């Protein structure tokens, strides 16, 4: 039966995945709570040291700080929701909440890949045109780039979501622990050929084109590095490795989501499928700050210095009180 547009606001989807892992709900609650806490703390630490340390007031670190903000946004889109569903035992989600969750999840992915593209361009200018870097990457340009990493995905996916919101729905069962766009579109009983054409076009601009820019940037960086001494190569690669690891993290997470949405995964244990579906939204926002905290020397030193100062201050207070 086709759902009329006027009745969509009153409809709800059943998130069937919760029923299949109900016996493990307390394990998921504890793990998600711990992981979400780590997401907030790890990314907040990156944001804090970037803000407080004047040595980190440079374009590259502002983009890293922006990535930390994106990580918090992405982790918050799902983790609190899943924990709440398990605690209340209510495994339904309204149409409006589903649309809002889809928007948050997909704009998170869009902001992530856009920010990675901007960071690749920043490294390309810094390494290939070092004498022009300060002219090309001014504070104003940095603000524009950061605004672009948020506004472009929000604008792009607003169009996609408006198309999703207008399709006719014939089912209410979603086999996940959260709403995603593909699962909702699969429930459509109307002609969505126009939707597929638009989706393919948007994939080119939001995925294929950014990866081409990143690939080209690092290809040029590699050619430059091959002409340098070993010490110079090591120094340049050390600034690029965290970004490449973050890019790999994005590819792995998005690949898990793509495979589960497009291919038959019934041969994979259901609990593992749930974990893999949460990788992009829970584990990825944890891995990124760890990568930059451990592999970026300036951030690592700033974090260690701040922690040592805190410990020293506490020790001094304890001695004075004794």
């Amino acid at each position: 039966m086709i759902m009329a547009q006027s009745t969509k606001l009153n409809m709800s989807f059943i998130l069937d995945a919760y029923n299949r892992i109900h016996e493990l709900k307390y394990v998921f609650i504890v793990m998600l709570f711990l992981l979400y806490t780590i997401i907030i703390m790890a990314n907040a630490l990156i944001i804090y040291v970037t803000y407080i340390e004047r040595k980190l007031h440079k374009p590259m670190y502002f983009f890293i700080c922006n990535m930390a903000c994106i990580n918090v946004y992405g982790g918050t889109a799902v983790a609190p929701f899943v924990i709440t569903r398990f605690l209340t035992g209510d495994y339904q989600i309204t149409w409006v909440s589903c649309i809002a969750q889809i928007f948050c999840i997909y704009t998170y992915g869009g902001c992530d890949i856009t920010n990675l593209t901007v960071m690749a361009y920043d490294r390309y200018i810094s390494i290939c045109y070092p004498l022009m870097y300060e002219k090309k990457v001014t504070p104003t340009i940095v603000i524009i780039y950061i605004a672009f990493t948020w506004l472009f995905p929000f604008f792009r996916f607003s169009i996609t979501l408006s198309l999703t919101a207008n399709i006719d729905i014939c089912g209410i069962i979603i086999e996940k622990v959260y709403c995603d766009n593909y699962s909702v579109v699969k429930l459509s009983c109307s002609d969505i050929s126009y939707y597929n054409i638009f989706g393919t076009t948007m994939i080119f601009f939001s995925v294929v084109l950014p990866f081409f820019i990143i690939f080209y940037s690092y290809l040029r960086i590699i050619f430059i590095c091959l002409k340098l001494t070993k010490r110079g190569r090591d120094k340049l690669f050390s600034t690029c490795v965290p970004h490449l690891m973050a890019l790999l993290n994005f590819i792995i997470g998005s690949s898990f989501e793509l495979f589960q949405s497009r291919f038959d995964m019934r041969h994979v244990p259901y609990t593992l499928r749930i974990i893999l579906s949460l990788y992009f939204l829970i584990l990825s926002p944890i891995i990124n700050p760890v990568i930059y905290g451990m592999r970026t020397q300036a951030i690592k030193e700033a974090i260690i210095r701040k922690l040592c100062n805190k410990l020293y201050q506490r020790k001094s207070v304890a001695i004075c009180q004794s």
Side-chain angles (χ1 to χ4, degrees), residues 89-105:
D90 180 10
Y91 302 152
Q92 295 188 22
I93 182 170
T94 64
W95 168 259
V96 174
S97 297
C98 182
I99 291 297
Q101 190 173 67
I102 290 172
F103 182 80
C104 291
I105 291 170

Side-chain angles (χ1 to χ4, degrees), residues 216-228 237:
Y216 174 79
S217 298
Y218 275 94
L219 199 62
R220 291 292 304 274
I221 289 171
I222 289 172
F223 286 144
I224 293 293
C225 290
L226 291 176
K227 299 177 182 178
L228 300 175
F237 273 121

Side-chain angles (χ1 to χ4, degrees), residues 55-260:
K55 290 182 179 179
L56 299 181
H57 291 181
K58 298 177 182 179
M60 182 178 75
Y61 303 113
F62 287 138
F63 295 137
I64 294 173
C65 182
N66 188 45
M67 175 176 283
C69 295
I70 294 170
N71 290 333
V72 173
Y73 172 67
T76 305
V78 166
F81 172 83
V82 176
I83 293 171
T84 303
R85 295 299 96 184
F86 274 125
L87 288 173
T88 61
D90 180 10
Y91 302 152
Q92 295 188 22
I93 182 170
T94 64
W95 168 259
V96 174
S97 297
C98 182
I99 291 297
Q101 190 173 67
I102 290 172
F103 182 80
C104 291
I105 291 170
Y106 282 80
T107 50
Y108 157 66
C111 290
D112 200 8
I113 186 60
T114 306
N115 193 64
L116 287 170
T117 305
V118 170
M119 292 173 72
Y121 176 75
D122 173 71
R123 291 298 83 206
Y124 165 72
I125 298 297
S126 175
I127 294 172
C128 298
Y129 302 98
L131 298 179
M132 301 176 62
Y133 182 75
E134 291 187 0
K135 291 183 179 180
K136 284 183 171 289
V137 189
T138 63
T140 303
I141 293 296
V142 171
I143 293 172
I144 292 173
Y145 284 164
I146 290 176
F148 178 76
T149 64
W150 289 90
L151 295 178
F152 174 69
F154 274 56
F155 172 75
R156 188 202 72 77
F157 197 72
S158 292
I159 301 174
T160 303
L161 202 59
S162 67
L163 296 177
T164 301
N166 285 292
I167 63 175
D168 296 319
I169 303 297
C170 294
I172 60 171
I173 305 296
I174 294 178
E175 297 182 357
K176 283 194 171 184
V177 293
Y178 58 85
C179 273
D180 75 292
N181 195 56
Y182 187 74
S183 295
V184 173
V185 172
K186 282 199 303 183
L187 299 176
S188 171
C189 48
S190 56
D191 181 22
I192 57 171
S193 56
Y194 69 93
Y195 188 98
N196 293 328
I197 294 172
F198 176 79
T200 303
T201 305
M202 287 299 99
I203 285 174
F204 173 79
F205 285 106
S206 58
V207 179
V208 177
L209 185 59
F211 273 109
F212 175 78
I213 294 172
I214 294 171
F215 176 77
Y216 174 79
S217 298
Y218 275 94
L219 199 62
R220 291 292 304 274
I221 289 171
I222 289 172
F223 286 144
I224 293 293
C225 290
L226 291 176
K227 299 177 182 178
L228 300 175
T229 62
K230 185 179 184 303
R231 184 177 179 181
R233 287 198 302 269
D234 291 343
K235 185 177 180 180
L236 289 180
F237 273 121
S238 66
T239 65
C240 298
V241 167
H243 180 263
L244 292 173
M245 293 174 68
L247 179 63
L248 180 62
N249 183 38
F250 176 87
I251 293 172
I252 292 173
S254 55
S255 296
F256 285 153
E257 181 61 28
L258 176 65
F259 289 144
Q260 290 203 74

